[in-house]
Amino acid sequence: MRTSPAVISLALSSLLLSGCGGGEQEPTRETTNTPQATGQSPGQPTAQQTTAASPRPTSISETFEAYSAGAAAVTYDEEAVPAGSRVEVNTEAEDGGTAFTLRVSGLQPDRDYGAHVHTKPCGAAPDDSGPHYQNEADPQQPSTDPKYANPDNEVWLDFTTDADGSAEVDTEVDWVPRQGEANSIVIHAEHTHTEPGHAGQAGDRLACVNVPF
């Protein structure tokens, strides 16, 4: 029986269509919701980003020792801050700002000390910890202008030890240190000055403790 050209053409078309539709289907790709898909505006932080930027509570307890590569708390003056004396630092979120507490023991009794948050970690030399951390940085460094060098724009933790060489001090600021820009607390030889030209100064750097703000 002879097959007509029309029938052959129809059969070939069916085979071609069957081949195009056969085989495995391409897997469905998962999509990630964009801010627009979740109702957020472009550039608006996600919940995860907002959490990451929130203040992180900190609690450390260290013993002062002479500098070594692994030392977390370093004394540069063992008369004023003896090796073996102790330091504790605690921070926590406080109504959009940060609360700081500093405790020391084993220092010289009945003596004034200054203390501030500094920008860099402790090093072999006292100046290695860099300048004071400032929420609004003074364009002129070292900063001695009371507009910038003050306890609202910096973290000041001055204290006076008791008869046993112990002290506890706390302070609050209405901001959060920028992550990675505040790395230590330095203990100074005297309470912090406030007058123009000397604001923020507190004498020699006696000791330093690394704090992961």
Side-chain angles (χ1 to χ4, degrees), residues 6-23:
V7 172
I8 294 173
S9 176
L10 180 60
L12 287 173
S13 297
S14 298
L15 287 172
L16 287 172
L17 289 172
S18 176
C20 291

Side-chain angles (χ1 to χ4, degrees), residues 14 43 55 64 74 76 87 91 94 126 143 146 162 167 188 203:
S14 298
F64 286 111
V74 180
Y76 304 109
V87 58
T91 71
E94 191 74 26
S143 179
D162 61 17
H188 292 260

Side-chain angles (χ1 to χ4, degrees), residues 22-197:
E24 295 182 359
Q25 294 183 343
E26 183 180 355
T28 303
R29 295 181 181 178
E30 293 184 2
T31 57
T32 302
N33 288 334
T34 62
Q36 290 87 344
T38 57
Q40 292 173 308
S41 301
Q44 180 179 351
T46 64
Q48 184 176 4
Q49 290 171 327
T50 303
T51 301
S54 299
R56 297 178 302 162
T58 300
S59 181
I60 67 159
S61 180
E62 301 291 350
T63 300
F64 286 111
E65 58 182 295
Y67 175 78
S68 67
V74 180
T75 176
Y76 304 109
D77 184 330
E78 292 200 31
E79 181 179 354
V81 182
S85 56
R86 298 282 300 171
V87 58
E88 297 179 21
V89 178
N90 292 281
T91 71
E92 61 183 64
E94 191 74 26
D95 296 329
T98 312
F100 301 80
T101 300
L102 173 69
R103 299 182 185 90
V104 294
S105 60
L107 276 58
Q108 284 190 337
D110 302 315
R111 171 171 173 164
D112 292 341
Y113 292 85
H116 318 107
V117 172
H118 281 243
T119 58
K120 296 181 180 180
C122 310
D127 288 343
D128 288 346
S129 52
H132 295 179
Y133 176 86
Q134 295 181 323
N135 184 48
E136 182 181 355
D138 187 345
Q140 182 68 41
Q141 295 292 333
S143 179
T144 57
D145 182 349
K147 177 181 177 181
Y148 299 95
N150 64 67
D152 294 322
N153 193 47
E154 301 181 346
V155 180
W156 293 9
L157 291 158
D158 295 1
F159 59 90
T160 301
T161 54
D162 61 17
D164 296 322
S166 299
E168 178 176 334
V169 60
D170 55 68
T171 191
E172 296 179 15
V173 293
D174 60 3
W175 42 266
V176 178
R178 294 176 291 276
Q179 190 170 349
E181 295 186 30
N183 290 282
S184 62
I185 289 179
V186 173
I187 295 177
H188 292 260
E190 56 194 36
H191 282 180
T192 310
H193 296 272
T194 58
E195 66 273 18

